[in-house]
Amino acid sequence: MSQDGPGVELDSSLGYLLKEASSALRAAMEGVLRPLGMTVTHYSCLELLAQRPGLSNSELARGAFVTRQSMNVLLQALERDGYVTRPEEAPVGKVLPTRLTTRGRRSLQKATVAVRSVEDRMLGGMTAEERSGAFKILRSMIRSLQDSAEGAP
Amino acid sequence: MSQDGPGVELDSSLGYLLKEASSALRAAMEGVLRPLGMTVTHYSCLELLAQRPGLSNSELARGAFVTRQSMNVLLQALERDGYVTRPEEAPVGKVLPTRLTTRGRRSLQKATVAVRSVEDRMLGGMTAEERSGAFKILRSMIRSLQDSAEGAP
DNA sequence: AAATCTATGTCAGAATACTGACATGAGTCA
DNA sequence: TGACTCATGTCAGTATTCTGACATAGATTT
C-alpha cells in the first residue's frame, strides 16, 4: 500500500506537518537512545544541565517541556543513580540548583554523539540557506503562538 | 526575568526548536479544545475521519501518532458516546471501518473552528513564500528521518 | 512594616499512553 | 495446497505524565 499516511487536506496543514516532523524526530531519538538505556526526557535533562549548570527543577522542566512534577520524579531517579547532585538545603529561597556528576557527564557524552547523528541526518538534505530559513520560520511560529497565548489568559 | 528559556547552544539546535514549536502548538490547541471538552488526540481522530471516512483503528493510530492500543480505547469511548460507529463484524479481514455520526460531525465543527484560529495565529506573521518554504523544509526533515529509520532496522 | 503576589518543591491521585502478548484473517511463496 | 509472513483488533499490566493541592520563600505593593 506504499505507506502514504492520511493525505487529503492534512498534508496542507502546517500544524499537522509540524506534529509529524516532531514525532519523527522523537522516534529517531528514542531509537538511538534506547540502546543507551536513556529516554528523550532523560537526555534533555542532562543536556540542559551540561549547558547551564545549576538549573533548578522548574527551569529544567520548562526546558524539557514537561511539568515540574514530572521533572521532579526524573531528578529523584537521576540523583539516586548518581547522575546529578542537589544540595540538601536551598542556598537561597527554595530553589535547589542541580549539577551533573562525573558519571552524568560521561553518560551524556555517548548520548550526545548519538543524538547529533540524528540531527545531522535531519539536516542532511538541506542547504545552508534552507537551514537558516528553517530557524527563522520555526522561531516565527513559536513567537506567534506564545504571544497569542499570553494575550488571552 | 524576561522569559528567556534555556539559551546557550540549544537555540542553535534545530531539533530543540522543532520540539519547542510543536510543544507550543500543542499547548495552544489544548487551550482552545479544553473548553469544548476535547483533547488533541480526540480532535485528531475526528478530523481524520472527516477527511477519510472509513479509516481503521490502526490507520487512525498512525495518523494521530499514537499506538493502536491507545487509539482503540479512545475509539471505544467515542463509540460509547455516539461520536463514531463501527460495524459489529468486519466486512473484510479484521479491519473495522470507522465513520463519524451526525453528532460526531457536529462536535467536530466547533473544534475545527477553534483549531483553525490557532493555525491562523501561527501563520500570522509569515508571508506566502515563508509558508511554502516551511512546508518544503518540514517535509524534507520528515523524509530524512524516515529514510534513515527504515534503512537501519 | 504588613499584606499580597508570584514562584518553587513536593506529595498524592487520576488520566493517558505505552509495552507485551494473543488469536485471527489475508497475502505470499514454495 | 500448505507453510510462512504480515497486519489487525483486542486484552492486560506497566509506566509515564498530568492535574490538583499545599506549605514556604522571595518580590512587590500598599
Side-chain angles (χ1 to χ4, degrees):
Chain A
M1 65 177 175
S2 80
Q3 54 134 26
D4 59 343
V8 183
E9 278 206 66
L10 288 176
D11 280 353
S12 63
S13 160
L14 194 58
Y16 190 83
L17 224 54
L18 183 58
K19 188 173 181 180
E20 189 174 355
S22 179
S23 175
L25 173 62
R26 186 178 188 87
M29 287 181 66
E30 282 172 351
V32 299
L33 288 175
R34 186 182 305 269
L36 302 173
M38 211 179 282
T39 69
V40 175
T41 308
H42 186 141
Y43 160 76
S44 300
C45 178
L46 265 48
E47 185 71 49
L48 283 163
L49 284 173
Q51 299 193 9
R52 305 190 100 190
L55 280 185
S56 71
N57 174 35
S58 290
E59 290 169 318
L60 287 168
R62 281 192 291 269
F65 308 105
V66 295
T67 61
R68 304 174 282 175
Q69 293 88 335
S70 296
M71 182 55 72
N72 197 25
V73 308
L74 173 60
L75 277 183
Q76 286 173 358
L78 291 178
E79 193 173 14
R80 167 174 51 80
D81 297 343
Y83 293 103
V84 305
T85 53
R86 283 192 291 183
E88 288 291 333
E89 293 186 5
V92 53
K94 301 188 66 176
V95 177
L96 292 175
T98 312
R99 292 183 179 279
L100 288 179
T101 62
T102 304
R103 180 176 188 181
R105 247 181 299 274
R106 207 186 310 275
S107 172
L108 174 61
Q109 274 186 341
K110 302 177 193 168
T112 300
V113 174
V115 170
R116 197 181 308 274
S117 77
V118 170
E119 192 146 326
D120 287 346
R121 284 203 309 246
M122 186 173 66
L123 294 165
M126 297 169 57
T127 68
E129 287 140 16
E130 285 173 331
R131 291 185 202 186
S132 73
F135 274 82
K136 189 176 167 186
I137 285 165
L138 286 175
R139 271 196 250 269
S140 165
M141 290 197 267
I142 293 166
R143 181 164 33 79
S144 302
L145 290 169
Q146 283 178 345
D147 288 352
S148 56
E150 289 171 4
Chain B
M1 63 176 177
S2 79
Q3 54 135 22
D4 60 342
V8 182
E9 278 206 66
L10 288 176
D11 279 353
S12 63
S13 160
L14 194 59
Y16 189 84
L17 224 54
L18 183 59
K19 189 172 180 181
E20 189 175 356
S22 179
S23 174
L25 173 62
R26 187 178 187 86
M29 286 180 66
E30 283 172 349
V32 299
L33 288 174
R34 184 183 306 270
L36 302 174
M38 213 179 279
T39 69
V40 175
T41 308
H42 187 139
Y43 160 76
S44 300
C45 177
L46 264 48
E47 184 70 48
L48 283 163
L49 284 174
Q51 298 193 10
R52 303 191 98 190
L55 281 184
S56 71
N57 174 35
S58 290
E59 290 169 319
L60 287 168
R62 282 192 291 270
F65 309 103
V66 296
T67 60
R68 303 174 287 180
Q69 294 88 334
S70 297
M71 182 54 71
N72 196 26
V73 308
L74 173 60
L75 276 184
Q76 286 174 358
L78 290 178
E79 194 173 14
R80 166 174 51 79
D81 298 342
Y83 294 102
V84 305
T85 53
R86 286 192 290 183
E88 289 292 331
E89 293 186 8
V92 53
K94 300 188 69 177
V95 177
L96 293 176
T98 311
R99 293 183 178 277
L100 289 178
T101 63
T102 305
R103 180 176 187 180
R105 248 180 299 273
R106 208 186 310 274
S107 171
L108 174 60
Q109 273 187 342
K110 302 177 193 168
T112 299
V113 174
V115 169
R116 198 181 306 274
S117 76
V118 170
E119 190 145 328
D120 288 345
R121 285 202 308 247
M122 186 172 69
L123 293 166
M126 296 170 56
T127 67
E129 286 141 16
E130 284 174 331
R131 291 184 203 185
S132 73
F135 274 81
K136 190 176 167 185
I137 285 165
L138 285 175
R139 270 196 250 270
S140 165
M141 291 197 268
I142 294 166
R143 182 164 33 79
S144 302
L145 289 169
Q146 282 179 345
D147 288 352
S148 56
E150 288 172 4

